[in-house]
Every structure is written in structure tokens, then in C-alpha cells.
């Protein structure tokens, strides 16, 4: 499924290494678990299947490389988290409720999973002697700042409960590294927050009411409907193919020096407007006639988003490995194939 060869990029660093992927039944987590299995790691996926797909777990279990175990449980359940993380070297914490408008509707539910759940993961990692926790942070922490590109030194300006959850997660990751880690604490736990910018790719859920824009556009176009755009479509995003997020996680785990809870942008480094995206996708799916239908802007959405990637390169040697067009073609092809298989 990946557009790159993980073995060539990461060699045998993860061979036989026990790694936990929380949220591994979901979109990004399943790609990460798949890459780690291809690299010969021992994988434990912890997921409650509240938003992920059982089919992703079955596909991982049947890959026939590395060793795979699925813990069906919630990050809100301390015992399940302890069981999954016991004996692990690395934790890739991807589990979360991930919708901006969803969090505006249900802030308490989002708090319980995204903040309390993240603390449970950190506590379990600390108790289990984990070397490093990688956290799926979000570019939503930047809020609607006019300044582009977004650099990690800018203030956190959360515009939604989801963004606040993710910012709180970053703060916890830093605090745990400093309190219980190699960077000044009393233990060996290291942590890092990877601020993802609009990750897309095969397996991203197109069926949720809060589906990410590329997944939602693909579903609409393949069903002969006009894609729905919230606002005037001139909002821009740094759309990032999922292999880039996987690569960043693997680089972060491999980093020699402690990362001490640093926050690092992970993106493609290019701004594309939602209108451009819609016309690209309509052309690729041979439906240029399906022009967007415009609706009111959504609460909590930001206008522009583009990452500065200097810190990612400095700290973990990250540069995007798959560009926007190549990633979009592969993704559109995957949605087309899924659609054909379903009819
Ligand atoms: N997709 C993006 O563009 C993007 C951008 C920024 C940050 N992120 C973050 O990356 C991570 C992965 O996102 P995704 O797009 O793959 O989402 P996803 O919904 O496909 O995956 C999340 C997974 O977490 C699981 N999960 C939810 N609540 C859980 C709980 N209480 N216990 C255990 N598992 C639980 C879900 O079942 C699902 O499998 C999330 O933390 C998200 O906030 C994603």
C-alpha cells in the first residue's frame, strides 16, 4: 500500500523491537503498524474500534511478517493500556477522537479520550520503562493565525475543544519527559509530539459525518454528487500523504538524542486550496462537471495552514518523501477501487 520502501529507508533498526500503536485500527495507525511489521517489529495494537476498522486489524494480523497482537480496549481503561504497553520499547500514540466539529458538539467526551486517555498512555509508558512515546499532535494548535508558514515557536491558539485536547497532550508529553525522563527527570522516558498537517491517503474514513475533506470529496464524486465545500473554498491546507507521517514517526523513534517533549511540524510544506483540490480530484475521477456546492463555514475551522519544516529536518532528519500529486493519485485510485468493489 505504501508508495515507498520502508526497508530501504529504515533498514533493520526495528527488527524484533516491541512497539505499541494505539489507534492502530484507524487510518494513520494502521499504516504505521503495517510499516513496522514490514520492518520486522513486534507490534501490539491497542484500539477500541470506536472509529477504526476491524478489517485493518485483520489485514495486519494476516501480513505474516513480524509478530502481531491486538488488544481490543480503550485508552480510558488503565488496565487495558498497561497490558498493551508492558514490555514495549516504543509507543506510537495515535488513538483519539479526531473531529473538530465533533469536539464542539461533545467537549466532555473528547476530553475523556484525548486528554485523560493520553495521560494513561504516558503513565503506562513510564511504568513499563518505554524508551520514547511519539504523540499524534495536530496543526489545529496554531489556530487561525495569519502568519504563514506556521513555525513551532508560535503561540498555541486553540479554536476548538479538539485543538485544546491536542495542545494539552503536547504539554503532557513535554512534562512527562522532563519529570520522568532523560531530559532532567528521574527516569529514562523520552517523548515527542508530531504536529500532523491534514494527513490523507488510502483507508481514511469517507463515511463519517466529519470525514476529512479528501475522503469526503472522493465519496461524493464517485457517487456522482458535487463535493460540498464549507466557506468559499479559498481556505488552504498543507495536505500530507500518510507515508510522510509514518516516516516521521519512524525517524522520531530512531533519533539518537533525547527529544524532551519537543513539538515538531510534520507536513508536505505546500499550500493547496480546497477549490484546487476539488478540481484536481474531479479531473482525476473524470467528473469535471461536478463543481463544488458551497455551504456556510464551519465553527472552529481555520482559514490557512502551511508548515515550516526546518525543525523537523534539524531534529529528526525529516523531509517529505511523497509529494502532494503522487499521494493524491494513489489515494484517488484507492477510493475508485473501493467504490468499484462495493457496487
Ligand atoms: N488525519 C489527520 O489529518 C490528522 C491530523 C492531525 C492529527 N491527527 C491525529 O492522528 C491520530 C490518528 O488519526 P486518524 O486520522 O488515523 O484517525 P482514525 O479515527 O482513523 O484513527 C483513530 C483510531 O483511534 C481509535 N480510538 C478512538 N478512541 C479510542 C479509545 N478510547 N481507545 C482506543 N482506541 C481509540 C479509533 O477506533 C481509531 O481506530 C489521531 O490522534 C488524530 O487526532 C490526525
Amino acid at each position: 500500500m505504501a508508495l515507498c520502501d520502508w526497508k530501504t529507508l529504515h533498514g533493520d533498526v526495528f527488527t524484533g523491537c516491541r512497539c505499541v500503536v494505539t489507534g492502530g485500527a484507524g487510518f494513520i495507525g494502521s499504516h504505521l503498524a503495517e510499516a513496522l511489521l514490514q520492518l520486522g517489529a513486534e507490534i501490539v495494537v491497542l484500539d477500541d474500534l470506536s472509529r477504526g476498522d476491524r478489517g485493518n486489524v485483520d489485514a495486519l494480523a494476516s501480513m505474516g511478517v513480524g509478530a502481531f497482537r491486538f488488544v481490543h480496549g480503550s485508552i480510558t481503561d488503565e488496565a487495558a493500556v498497561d497490558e498493551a504497553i508492558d514490555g514495549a520499547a516504543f509507543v506510537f500514540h495515535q488513538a483519539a477522537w479526531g473531529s473538530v466539529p465533533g469536539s464542539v458538539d461533545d467537549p466532555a467526551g473528547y476530553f475523556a479520550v484525548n486528554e485523560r486517555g493520553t495521560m494513561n498512555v504516558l503513565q503506562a509508558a513510564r511504568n513499563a520503562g518505554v524508551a520514547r512515546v511519539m504523540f499524534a499532535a495536530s496543526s489545529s494548535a496554531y489556530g487561525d493565525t495569519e502568519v504563514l508558514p506556521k513555525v513551532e515557536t508560535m503561540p498555541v491558539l486553540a479554536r476548538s475543544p479538539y485543538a485544546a485536547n491536542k495542545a494539552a497532550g503536547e504539554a503532557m508529553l513535554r512534562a512527562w519527559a522532563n519529570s520522568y525522563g532523560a531530559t532532567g527527570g528521574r527516569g529514562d522516558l523520552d517523548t515527542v509530539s508530531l504536529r500532523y498537517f491534514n494527513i490523507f491517503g488510502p483507508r481514511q474514513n469517507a463515511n463519517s459525518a466529519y470525514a476529512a475533506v479528501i475522503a469526503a470529496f472522493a465519496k461524493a464524486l464517485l457517487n456522482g454528487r458535487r463535493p460540498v465545500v464549507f466557506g468559499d473554498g479559498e481556505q488552504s491546507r498543507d495536505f500530507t500523504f500518510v507515508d510522510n507521517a509514518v516516516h516521521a514517526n519512524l525517524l522520531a523513534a530512531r533519533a539518537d538524542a533525547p527529544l524532551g517533549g519537543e513539538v515538531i511540524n510534520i507536513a508536505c510544506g505546500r499550500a493547496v486550496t480546497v477549490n484546487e483540490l476539488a478540481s484536481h480530484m474531479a479531473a482525476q475521477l473524470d467528473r469535471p462537471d461536478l463543481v463544488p456546492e458551497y455551504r456556510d463555514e464551519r465553527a472552529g475551522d481555520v482559514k490557512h495552514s502551511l508548515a515550516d519544516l526546518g525543525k523537523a529536518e534539524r531534529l529528526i532528519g525529516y523531509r517529505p518523501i511523497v509529494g502532494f500529486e503522487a499521494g493524491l493519485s494513489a489515494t484517488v485510485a484507492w477510493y475508485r477501487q473501493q467504490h468499484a468493489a462495493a457496487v
Side-chain angles (χ1 to χ4, degrees), residues 148-329:
L148 293 177
K150 291 174 179 172
V151 186
E152 295 88 340
T153 47
M154 288 177 176
V156 167
L157 297 168
R159 280 174 55 91
S160 66
Y162 169 76
N165 295 159
K166 287 290 168 179
E170 292 176 355
M172 280 191 275
L173 270 269
R174 193 184 290 274
W176 260 248
N178 285 317
S179 302
Y180 313 110
T183 49
R186 287 165 283 136
D188 298 317
L189 180 69
D190 195 32
T191 67
V192 62
S193 292
L194 303 176
R195 267 190 195 165
Y196 300 158
F197 282 64
N198 291 83
I199 311 298
F200 71 93
R203 300 191 203 127
Q204 192 165 30
N205 188 352
N207 294 319
S208 144
Y210 305 123
V213 62
I214 292 180
F217 282 7
K219 186 178 179 196
L221 291 164
L222 285 163
N223 286 296
R225 292 196 314 270
R226 295 165 62 195
V228 172
V229 169
F230 298 99
D232 63 5
E234 285 307 299
Q235 64 269 43
S236 62
R237 295 290 180 268
D238 194 335
F239 293 109
T240 305
F241 188 63
V242 63
D243 284 8
N244 296 316
V246 170
H247 183 51
N249 273 279
L250 300 176
L251 288 170
R254 288 174 54 184
D256 287 333
L259 294 169
E262 286 292 330
V263 171
I264 302 176
N265 288 342
I266 300 302
C268 198
R270 171 179 165 189
V272 175
T273 69
V274 170
N275 284 333
E276 283 174 279
L277 176 71
S279 71
H280 256 78
M281 290 184 69
Q284 285 186 11
L285 287 166
D286 306 317
R287 293 304 305 261
D289 54 309
L290 294 176
V291 294
E293 178 191 327
Y294 294 94
R295 298 215 187 128
D296 286 347
E297 222 173 282
R298 294 187 305 192
D301 277 354
V302 303
K303 186 78 186 165
H304 295 294
S305 185
L306 172 68
D308 178 281
L309 296 176
K311 186 173 179 184
E313 179 154 14
R314 260 192 333 276
L315 288 192
I316 60 172
Y318 169 83
R319 277 188 196 177
I321 48 172
V322 178
F324 170 73
E325 271 96 3
L328 189 65
S329 304

Side-chain angles (χ1 to χ4, degrees), residues 122-139:
L122 287 169
Q123 286 292 74
R126 175 189 161 204
N127 294 336
V130 164
R132 186 172 290 144
V133 178
M134 272 56 62
F135 174 56
S138 165
S139 62

Side-chain angles (χ1 to χ4, degrees), residues 21-31 45-53 56-57 71-77 81 93-99 112-114 117-118 135-140 162 166 194-200 203-205 212 240 242 266:
V21 182
T22 71
F27 161 51
I28 300 170
S30 66
H31 282 277
V45 161
L46 171 65
D47 200 301
D48 67 354
L49 300 179
S50 56
R51 282 154 164 74
D53 185 345
N56 290 339
V57 175
V71 177
H72 186 181
S74 172
I75 54 168
T76 59
D77 173 355
V81 180
H93 178 35
Q94 310 298 304
W97 289 3
S99 154
V113 172
N114 294 354
T118 295
F135 174 56
S138 165
S139 62
S140 60
Y162 169 76
K166 287 290 168 179
L194 303 176
R195 267 190 195 165
Y196 300 158
F197 282 64
N198 291 83
I199 311 298
F200 71 93
R203 300 191 203 127
Q204 192 165 30
N205 188 352
T240 305
V242 63
I266 300 302

